[in-house]
Amino acid sequence: MAPSRSHHFSTHLMRRMRRGAMLAAALMTCGLASASNPIVPGWYADPEIRVFAGRYWIYPTYSDHAGKPDVTPRFSAAQKKARQRKTVRPSYGMQTFFNAFSSPDLVHWTKHEHVFDVRNADWAAYAIWAPSVIAANGRYYMFFSANDIQSDAELGGIGLAVSDRPGGPFKDAIGRPLIDAFHNGAQPIDPFAFRDRDGQVYLFYGGWKHCNVVRLSADLKRIVPFADGTTYKEVTPPGYVEGSFMIERGGTYYLMWSEGGWTGPDYSVAYATAPSPIGPFKPMGKILSQDLRIARGAGHHSVVNVPGTDDWYIAYHRRPLDTDRGEHRQIAIDRMRFAADGSIEPVVMTNEGVTPRPIGAATPRRR
């Protein structure tokens, strides 16, 4: 007897289901996360999110070992000597590289290992933090913090590395730190590269409760004066601690930063607005803080605007409720929305995360 039409349909359906199951298993095997927070496994912090060549990229700080230690395989003689210095926390010695993650849709992430490593910057030895990557001149430039300097007498500060690809490898671009000293009281850490509408690139940076902004040359390798002749312009808003970040929307500039202590539950994000990238800034309050139903210590964020839309997403780190270890931080992504008056609405942290958002696709159903 010939098989019935229903038998053919059932067989076809079973094959499709098996193929779907195999695809899901393959995605899990590749380490691609489902739509949930945290977005990737492991302890990571200070995520910067960008769009390069039609993909989302996240560049975070390696915060702590999770499972098998991830390490730099070798150090130069100069780096070995530098690593003998006493650090504020033992974890700073682990932080000698950056892994990156890329995604077509904010949900499925691919890991890119050691896109930058101190092997490619001989003066940098530890405390490699908070990268900021920008495309310019047909290449990709990474600003990064190194060595957690405590005074101008120490070697370290903000460095610059360059690569032909967003996935690296990034290599030292100038052979020394770009900013190697304290100006206006700002520790040279936590850089963020911001390109204004006229093409000028500014670098915001600073720890120890001070925030500076500088203008960069066209090749991004030099600091150039502002029109008034100054070079290091302080723009510290009230409550500022570290982690400066900026966006522009509709002619308004939004300077954001982290407040509180990075190891504690009071870590949070606030912002101010201005008519220009250098101010004057009007404080607008907090937009991200702990939620004892979800996580603590939410801060050091970045924001991405989906190209061609007014849709915005915030990437940030947070600490799970079941740990008090400062380095135990995870990356999350949630929606960031603006009110009708242009102010930023408080960010709602979620465990569910965001729905897939391919670049160039229509706006998905909002959560």
Side-chain angles (χ1 to χ4, degrees):
M1 176 182 292
S4 66
R5 180 176 299 178
S6 61
H7 174 78
H8 281 300
F9 176 78
S10 298
T11 301
H12 178 67
L13 179 61
M14 289 299 293
R15 288 174 178 168
R16 290 185 62 185
M17 291 175 64
R18 282 196 296 269
R19 283 198 296 269
M22 290 172 65
L23 176 59
L27 291 175
M28 291 298 290
T29 300
C30 292
L32 300 179
S34 60
S36 63
N37 285 323
I39 62 166
V40 294
W43 302 120
Y44 290 96
D46 316 331
E48 177 173 278
I49 187 167
R50 296 274 188 171
V51 171
F52 296 131
R55 290 180 70 86
Y56 301 97
W57 284 82
I58 285 183
Y59 301 89
T61 299
Y62 182 81
S63 189
D64 200 359
H65 296 322
K68 181 181 178 181
D70 195 353
V71 299
T72 292
R74 61 183 179 275
F75 300 97
S76 70
Q79 288 170 333
K80 290 177 181 178
K81 182 177 180 180
R83 289 173 59 80
Q84 294 175 4
R85 300 176 193 150
K86 180 178 175 59
T87 59
V88 175
R89 295 177 73 92
S91 59
Y92 294 3
M94 305 176 191
Q95 295 159 353
T96 57
F97 60 87
F98 294 127
N99 294 325
F101 301 88
S102 69
S103 171
D105 60 6
L106 294 176
V107 172
H108 302 101
W109 294 91
T110 299
K111 183 178 181 180
H112 305 265
E113 297 186 351
H114 291 227
V115 298
F116 171 77
D117 192 292
V118 295
R119 289 178 298 172
N120 292 323
D122 191 61
W123 60 269
Y126 57 90
I128 303 300
W129 299 337
S132 180
V133 180
I134 190 168
N137 310 315
R139 307 184 80 187
Y140 299 88
Y141 293 80
M142 172 186 283
F143 298 87
F144 61 94
S145 318
N147 298 0
D148 185 35
I149 63 171
Q150 304 294 299
S151 73
D152 292 352
E154 300 176 24
L155 175 62
I158 293 174
L160 176 62
V162 64
S163 173
D164 292 329
R165 297 180 298 276
F170 286 86
K171 298 183 179 181
D172 191 6
I174 56 178
R176 55 178 173 76
L178 176 67
I179 302 174
D180 62 356
F182 287 69
H183 298 275
N184 305 318
Q187 186 189 29
I189 63 169
D190 294 357
F192 172 66
F194 171 75
R195 179 180 285 109
D196 200 3
R197 290 175 294 175
D198 63 1
Q200 175 64 56
V201 176
Y202 298 87
L203 192 71
F204 291 83
Y205 76 93
W208 290 16
K209 301 183 178 181
H210 292 275
C211 181
N212 287 339
V213 58
V214 298
R215 293 178 70 235
L216 297 177
S217 59
D219 64 5
L220 306 186
K221 296 180 180 180
R222 294 176 295 109
I223 293 170
V224 297
F226 288 93
D228 62 5
T230 61
T231 49
Y232 294 87
K233 192 176 291 292
E234 183 168 10
V235 291
T236 307
Y240 178 91
V241 173
E242 60 192 12
S244 53
F245 185 84
M246 173 166 280
I247 61 171
E248 182 271 334
R249 177 181 181 268
T252 297
Y253 293 82
Y254 297 75
L255 175 64
M256 309 178 191
W257 64 90
S258 292
E259 300 184 348
W262 70 268
T263 63
D266 60 338
Y267 207 51
S268 54
V269 172
Y271 81 106
T273 58
S276 83
I278 58 174
F281 291 100
K282 176 185 177 182
M284 297 293 289
K286 293 190 178 186
I287 58 168
L288 178 66
S289 57
Q290 71 172 358
D291 182 338
L292 293 180
R293 299 167 300 177
I294 304 292
R296 293 174 292 181
H300 205 126
H301 78 300
S302 60
V303 173
V304 68
N305 173 217
V306 180
T309 77
D310 193 32
D311 294 336
W312 300 78
Y313 292 84
I314 183 170
Y316 60 97
H317 75 238
R318 64 195 197 185
R319 186 168 296 107
L321 297 175
D322 61 357
T323 177
D324 291 323
R325 180 169 171 79
E327 285 80 3
H328 283 184
R329 298 170 288 179
Q330 299 173 316
I331 302 174
I333 295 178
D334 282 301
R335 289 296 301 270
M336 191 182 85
R337 297 185 172 91
F338 292 85
D341 63 359
S343 61
I344 302 175
E345 297 180 354
V347 174
V348 178
M349 288 200 295
T350 71
N351 288 323
E352 295 79 16
V354 298
T355 53
R357 187 64 169 94
I359 295 170
T363 304
R365 179 177 58 85
R366 298 181 183 270
R367 292 193 173 192

